[in-house]
Amino acid sequence: MSLSRIAIASVLALSPLPALAAAPAGYPAAEAQVLDLATKSIAIRSVRGENNRTIDVAKLYKQALLAGGWKDSDIEITPVDDTAYIIATWPGSDPKLKPLVISGHMDVVEAKPSDWKRDPFTPVVEDGILYGRGATDMKFNGAVAVSSLIELRRSGFKPRRTIVIEFSGDEETVMKTTGLLSEKLKNAELVINADAGGGKLDEATGKPLYWVWDGAEKTYADFKLEVTNPGGHSSAPRPENAIVQLAQALVKVGAYKFPAEQNALTKAYFTQAAPFEADPKIAAAMRAFAASITDENAIAVLRANPATVGKVGTTCVPTMADAGHALNALPQRAAAYINCRIFPGHTRAEIMDELAKVVNQPEVKLIDVTEGSFETAASPMRADFVAASTKAIRKAWGKDLAVVPSQSSGATDSMYFRRLGIPAYGASSTFTKDSEEFSHGLNERVRLENIRPGVTYYLSLLTDLAK
């Protein structure tokens, strides 16, 4: 599905734009293209498995880039299993300089239409908001990055440093294409990841509060808990029941809290974001935790808040379960999966050992079933990135906007570049309210007021980092 040019123009005209100290004049062609690419890509079901159409998203981006001045030879689409990745290169004038990479992904998590208010793969615009799977993670952000790059070329800019924009095809699952991309681009100077970071809007007024860039991320891990026994007829229960034993283990895991931790990025986040927190109790907890990681009252408050729980330390939560084989039979097998987001500085093996001690049931077998994840160190706070991104986001959203460094609680493609020693920064231009954050959830959405500031941001950022 795509919107007509008239419809696009109407939506952009009606979409409220942020009140900026010196609002940019606007970029009609780029702004229209953002909405066009976002809606068209959302309509493409790029989900792993049968009928995966991720390669069609790549073809959509290629078509736009070709029309924007790229040569066919500068755009590579590579099929991989049921998905694909794309690399588009804008050669700079100085081949001695390492390239600047803009990174993203084209795939999305599964969405069942029966669960949604609107069909997740039919983009809908209502009251200045775009709904659909991938609206925030990350087809809108991808559309902004592609359209902005085309606008930069349209403006006559000549990069001294080569600019590469790439999109992986399985970031939400095994990240095989990400690994391939990072190896092909291992000579990069730095990576701007459009899939992480971003700004926070005030819940009441909708005004921008602050913008976050991510310089590190927690390690993704999946652990399987499994119990097996001979089973038998349900009319003759036995003391050892696989489902009951697994349930006991899951209750222990669910109740366990890993030790609170802090590093330079999370400390900076809690310190600098606290003044913008509307809830006085949470704001006080952020300040208290930044001052002392042993403040149990502050830790309890932060762990009870979905927006901050992932920043306090390692988290592990049951996400899937599968047990039994018949209604009238004792279970021969019961299994569940625990998803962990591990605070930097710990290995998966270390966390699995800790979970085994928490469960403390010999009949429960723990298996590391993680795919496409590993531990990485934080990227340095590079002065050129910090200066360019701060300038760009303030040009887009206001000269007094607070800029806050942070650590991502989720896993992104950045880990593959950091593994190779390439600095990678989550630096999305998109702002949202906490109450409207539905990535991976139902009725995913994004505010279209992000379009013009997004283009403004990328034009400034890329100009400064590639000139």
Side-chain angles (χ1 to χ4, degrees):
M1 168 194 166
S2 63
L3 302 179
S4 69
R5 290 190 177 276
I6 294 177
I8 290 172
S10 298
V11 168
L12 292 173
L14 294 173
S15 297
L17 291 171
L20 306 179
Y27 320 91
E31 292 174 41
Q33 187 167 44
V34 170
L35 187 56
D36 186 51
L37 288 178
T39 54
K40 285 179 177 175
S41 58
I42 287 173
I44 299 172
R45 190 178 179 281
S46 52
V47 178
R48 185 187 187 191
E50 188 177 0
N51 298 320
N52 185 353
R53 296 181 56 205
T54 300
I55 195 169
D56 291 332
V57 180
K59 291 175 181 177
L60 175 69
Y61 291 161
K62 179 176 181 177
Q63 182 182 29
L65 290 166
L66 288 174
W70 273 253
K71 298 177 181 178
D72 185 77
S73 58
D74 287 334
I75 304 175
E76 172 189 351
I77 295 178
T78 304
V80 179
D81 300 331
D82 70 335
T83 186
Y85 66 79
I86 180 173
I87 301 175
T89 302
W90 184 0
S93 60
D94 188 346
K96 296 188 298 294
L97 296 177
K98 294 181 178 181
L100 168 67
V101 174
I102 308 163
S103 174
H105 66 89
M106 301 174 287
D107 60 314
V108 297
V109 298
E110 180 62 280
K112 296 182 179 179
S114 59
D115 295 336
W116 284 53
K117 181 178 179 180
R118 307 162 187 83
D119 185 292
F121 299 104
T122 301
V124 174
V125 174
E126 294 178 1
D127 300 322
I129 297 176
L130 172 62
Y131 294 86
R133 174 57 87 220
T136 52
D137 190 11
M138 58 152 289
K139 289 181 174 177
F140 176 82
N141 286 344
V144 174
V146 171
S147 302
S148 299
L149 198 56
I150 293 170
E151 177 68 19
L152 186 61
R153 192 160 195 161
R154 183 188 295 120
S155 73
F157 177 71
K158 305 292 184 183
R160 183 169 171 237
R161 184 185 302 278
T162 292
I163 302 175
V164 175
I165 187 165
E166 54 84 357
F167 292 90
S168 62
D170 52 3
E171 190 269 355
E172 300 291 4
T173 53
V174 299
M175 293 187 171
K176 182 176 180 178
T177 58
T178 314
L180 296 171
L181 278 165
S182 64
E183 287 295 332
K184 290 181 74 72
L185 299 171
K186 60 186 177 183
N187 66 326
E189 176 66 23
L190 63 82
V191 174
I192 303 298
N193 189 344
D195 184 36
K200 183 174 181 179
L201 297 175
D202 183 88
E203 288 290 334
T205 66
K207 293 182 179 179
L209 293 176
Y210 60 88
W211 180 70
V212 167
W213 60 266
D214 293 331
E217 64 187 53
K218 298 171 81 174
T219 303
Y220 178 101
D222 289 314
F223 300 110
K224 181 180 180 181
L225 276 62
E226 186 173 48
V227 182
T228 59
N229 64 41
H233 201 286
S234 62
S235 65
R238 302 177 184 181
E240 295 79 20
N241 183 293
I243 292 177
V244 173
Q245 292 168 319
L246 179 65
Q248 292 169 340
L250 292 177
V251 168
K252 295 174 187 176
V253 172
Y256 183 68
K257 300 294 186 294
F258 286 82
E261 298 186 71
Q262 193 175 100
N263 58 27
L265 285 168
T266 59
K267 182 180 179 69
Y269 171 81
F270 283 123
T271 301
Q272 297 178 34
F276 304 99
E277 174 54 55
D279 187 324
K281 185 177 180 181
I282 295 175
M286 293 169 72
R287 294 187 180 94
F289 182 68
S292 172
I293 63 170
T294 61
D295 191 317
E296 293 299 329
N297 290 331
I299 293 169
V301 171
L302 297 176
R303 281 179 171 157
N305 177 26
T308 54
V309 61
K311 301 183 185 300
V312 176
T314 295
T315 60
C316 289
V317 60
T319 54
M320 293 180 66
D322 178 25
H325 59 283
L327 292 176
N328 60 351
L330 299 178
Q332 297 173 357
R333 173 186 167 277
Y337 294 87
I338 308 298
N339 180 251
C340 297
R341 306 301 173 117
I342 303 170
F343 203 85
H346 303 282
T347 65
R348 297 204 310 268
E350 179 184 344
I351 298 302
M352 189 169 76
D353 287 345
E354 191 164 350
L355 286 173
K357 293 176 183 176
V358 170
V359 172
N360 193 27
Q361 293 174 227
E363 71 277 8
V364 179
K365 184 178 182 181
L366 269 75
I367 309 167
D368 186 344
V369 294
T370 308
E371 292 185 84
S373 179
F374 33 78
E375 304 85 14
T376 58
S379 296
M381 291 189 180
R382 280 183 50 154
D384 55 349
F385 164 75
V386 174
S389 61
T390 299
K391 173 186 172 183
I393 205 67
R394 287 177 174 169
K395 185 175 182 180
W397 287 94
K399 62 182 179 65
D400 297 321
L401 183 72
V403 174
V404 180
S406 187
Q407 170 182 283
S408 174
S409 295
T412 74
D413 287 340
S414 291
M415 78 171 87
Y416 279 83
F417 292 98
R418 292 193 184 111
R419 177 187 61 164
L420 298 175
I422 302 167
Y425 303 94
S428 166
S429 63
T430 299
F431 279 62
T432 189
K433 296 181 179 180
D434 283 344
S435 63
E436 295 177 347
E437 175 51 67
F438 291 97
S439 295
H440 292 203
L442 296 176
N443 308 312
E444 191 176 346
R445 67 199 68 176
V446 65
R447 290 178 172 263
L448 295 181
E449 67 187 81
N450 282 287
I451 293 178
R452 183 174 299 172
V455 177
T456 302
Y457 163 81
Y458 277 110
L459 293 184
S460 175
L461 181 69
L462 299 179
T463 297
D464 283 351
L465 293 180
K467 64 184 179 183

